[in-house]
Every structure is written in structure tokens, then in C-alpha cells.
Amino acid sequence: MRKDDEVSDPESLNWTNPAADEIDQVEKSIKRHPGKRLDNRLDQLKRVFEAWADFSASFNVLLDKCEKDDDFISELIRNVGDRTKQHRIIRSLDQAAIAYTAGLGAVIDQSRAVVQAQSPAIQDEYARRASVIMKGHPGGPFLAKLRNYVLHNVAAPWTFSGTFGEVSTGRVALDSASLLEDNKSWSRDAKDFIVANGESIQLSPLIAPYSEAMVEHIGWIFPTVAAANAKILKECDELIQTRNLLLSGGVTDGRDWELRIAHMSENIKRADRGEPHTDYRTGLPIFDDDPA
């Protein structure tokens, strides 16, 4: 095969896409397009939020275990003997608290950053919704500021108590006096919440309700911002479709990607069964013209 033929033959290692220059220009246009930057930003916020939601669920499960499992309750209130298991449980609580509060801080900061780049109407609605959460979940500001305490001060000041009977119950809480020793960590709302809860703050009643409220609050951002920026997002999608058509030699713009992958998977199953592949476009069997 001549060198010129190699350049034009897709099977050759020396093959160059004839639309390479055009593809490069489209790629550059996509990277600098405001729609692409916004899409990336929303995707990043979604990933951070989903990570925090998982931390929240795990933290809630651990607290439930600590307050309802006889063995956990017994170990947490132990004050003599071998406390190895108690230390392991506390370490798990520390890990969960650090992940939860750091994740919550990231969600709050990044959601604000996304909203601040939007119209005043969206910013006002976001602030109104946040205010509703604060009123309905006064522990929210405390949980948000707990990050400052456990990341910049000392480990969470856990306190444990429990009762045994037909139904054993435990209580995992944070010591209020220890929390209030650090004046810099708390906002006025958070400090008022600590004081109002007396000697200690039980966390389990706070986590799940606040998480549900945040799911609705942060979830509102994505469709709202997408609708407000529909024009630039559509422009970016059209550029991506153009790139896909160039890359595929005009075969697909990428919108049927899931269907194509499903078809490829089904063809593999057909081959395993000894059946011929089928053509994606026509659905007809593909037979090998050269059995040898």
C-alpha cells in the first residue's frame, strides 16, 4: 500500500481524519463556549451534592446503629475495661462527621457560586428558599457551621448515654459547653441553636430531615439554571453534535449513543449464541461473505 493510501485508509495506523482541522476548530469552540462552562459547573455541583448526600445517609445509618443496637450502646457508655471497640466506634463517628460537614460546606459554597452568576430573580428565589429551610430546620445553620469546629478547632465533643430494658435506647450527642468555647466557629443562628438545646445536641433528629430539605433546595437549581440558559446550552449541544458527526464520518451526532451501545451489547450476545450480528440501521442480519 502506498503512503498516500495509508493516510486515507481508516484501517491504517497512519490514517488521518480528513476533517482533522475542522474537528480541532470545533473542539476549541466547545471548550471556550459559555454553555460548556456552565454545563461543567452544574455537573461539578451535582457530583459534590451527590457525594454529600451519600455522606449524610451513611452518617444517619451510623447514628441509628449507635442509638438502637444493644452492643453499640453498651460499648459507647462503657467507662471501664477494654474500650477498644468504643474507640473504633468513635473513630467511625469522627470520620462520618468530618466527611458530612466538609461535604455540606462544599455544597453550600458551590451552590451559592453557581447562583451568583445568574439573574437577580434566581438569586432572590434561592435566598428565599434558603430562608425557608433555616426557619423549618433551625439545626441547619448549626450543622453548616459544625464544619468550622471539627476542621479548624478540635474533634467533635461526643457525649454518650443510654438506657437498657425491653427496648434499649442510646443517645449520641455533642457537648454544648465544649462547642461554645469556640466563639469564632458559630454564626448567631447556630449559637442560639446550641444554647436552646441545653447541655447537649442530639444529632440523629437533625440529619435526615435537613438532608431531605437540601435535596429539594439544591435540586431546584439544576432545572432552573438550565431553563434560564437554554439558548447557550443548546448552542453548545449543537457544536458537540457537529464534532460527533465529523468524528464519525457523518454516521452519528451522538444522540443515539445509548441505543448504539445497547445494540453492540446485543450483538455480542448474538455472537455467543452463534447467531449473526444485525445492522444497527436496518435490523437485518449481517452475514460473512467470506466464510474462510
Side-chain angles (χ1 to χ4, degrees):
M1 180 183 290
R2 295 178 306 170
K3 190 170 183 179
D4 290 345
D5 293 334
E6 289 181 347
V7 172
S8 61
D9 180 9
E11 299 297 323
S12 170
L13 295 177
N14 296 320
W15 178 75
T16 300
N17 192 313
D21 291 341
E22 190 176 355
I23 292 171
D24 183 60
Q25 290 301 315
V26 174
E27 287 278 9
K28 291 178 180 178
S29 296
I30 292 171
K31 288 181 180 179
R32 60 174 176 256
H33 196 281
K36 183 60 176 176
R37 291 196 295 271
L38 177 60
D39 185 63
N40 287 341
R41 195 70 185 88
L42 289 173
D43 180 64
Q44 291 161 1
L45 175 59
K46 181 180 179 182
R47 287 164 52 197
V48 169
F49 179 65
E50 289 177 343
W52 173 75
D54 286 345
F55 290 146
S56 179
S58 298
F59 196 14
N60 196 49
V61 169
L62 178 59
L63 290 170
D64 188 69
K65 186 81 170 175
C66 290
E67 296 185 336
K68 294 181 180 178
D69 185 283
D70 288 354
D71 292 336
F72 271 63
I73 297 170
S74 177
E75 290 299 331
L76 285 174
I77 65 175
R78 176 192 293 274
N79 57 18
V80 294
D82 184 358
R83 300 172 66 183
T84 302
K85 291 182 179 179
Q86 183 188 80
H87 292 157
R88 289 175 181 169
I89 298 172
I90 292 174
R91 183 168 67 243
S92 295
L93 286 168
D94 285 337
Q95 291 170 339
I98 290 171
Y100 174 87
T101 56
L104 177 56
V107 169
I108 292 172
D109 290 347
Q110 294 192 32
S111 63
R112 284 174 178 166
V114 168
V115 170
Q116 285 172 358
Q118 302 305 308
S119 68
I122 291 178
Q123 294 180 43
D124 290 344
E125 177 62 12
Y126 176 85
R128 186 195 69 77
R129 296 171 66 89
S131 177
V132 170
I133 290 180
M134 289 179 64
K135 291 178 181 177
H137 302 273
F142 164 73
L143 292 171
K145 293 302 181 182
L146 184 59
R147 170 187 62 165
N148 296 339
Y149 188 90
V150 299
L151 295 186
H152 303 304
N153 195 342
V154 294
W158 301 110
T159 176
F160 309 109
S161 59
T163 60
F164 293 93
E166 290 187 10
V167 178
S168 301
T169 59
R171 187 175 187 272
V172 177
L174 298 174
D175 180 68
S176 296
S178 298
L179 295 173
L180 291 171
E181 287 177 359
D182 177 22
N183 291 322
K184 295 180 180 179
S185 288
W186 311 109
S187 63
R188 170 51 58 187
D189 290 335
K191 186 178 293 186
D192 288 346
F193 180 79
I194 296 172
V195 172
N197 273 265
E199 294 184 358
S200 62
I201 300 173
Q202 186 179 9
L203 290 179
S204 57
L206 306 178
I207 302 299
Y210 183 65
S211 178
E212 291 174 5
M214 286 294 285
V215 166
E216 181 179 354
H217 179 49
I218 303 301
W220 166 86
I221 292 174
F222 301 103
T224 301
V225 172
N229 295 272
K231 183 175 182 293
I232 62 170
L233 291 173
K234 182 180 179 182
E235 289 173 354
C236 184
D237 282 344
E238 290 172 348
L239 284 172
I240 293 172
Q241 291 166 22
T242 297
R243 178 194 61 187
N244 292 341
L245 284 168
L246 291 169
L247 287 171
S248 66
V251 172
T252 178
D253 62 6
R255 286 179 293 184
D256 61 350
W257 177 254
E258 289 82 4
L259 293 174
R260 286 180 176 274
I261 294 299
H263 181 261
M264 290 170 59
S265 178
E266 186 59 34
N267 268 344
I268 292 173
K269 294 177 183 177
R270 289 190 181 95
D272 291 340
R273 296 194 298 264
E275 301 172 2
H277 287 183
T278 61
D279 186 281
Y280 171 78
R281 293 163 298 178
T282 66
L284 298 175
I286 301 174
F287 296 102
D288 190 348
D289 293 333
D290 183 10

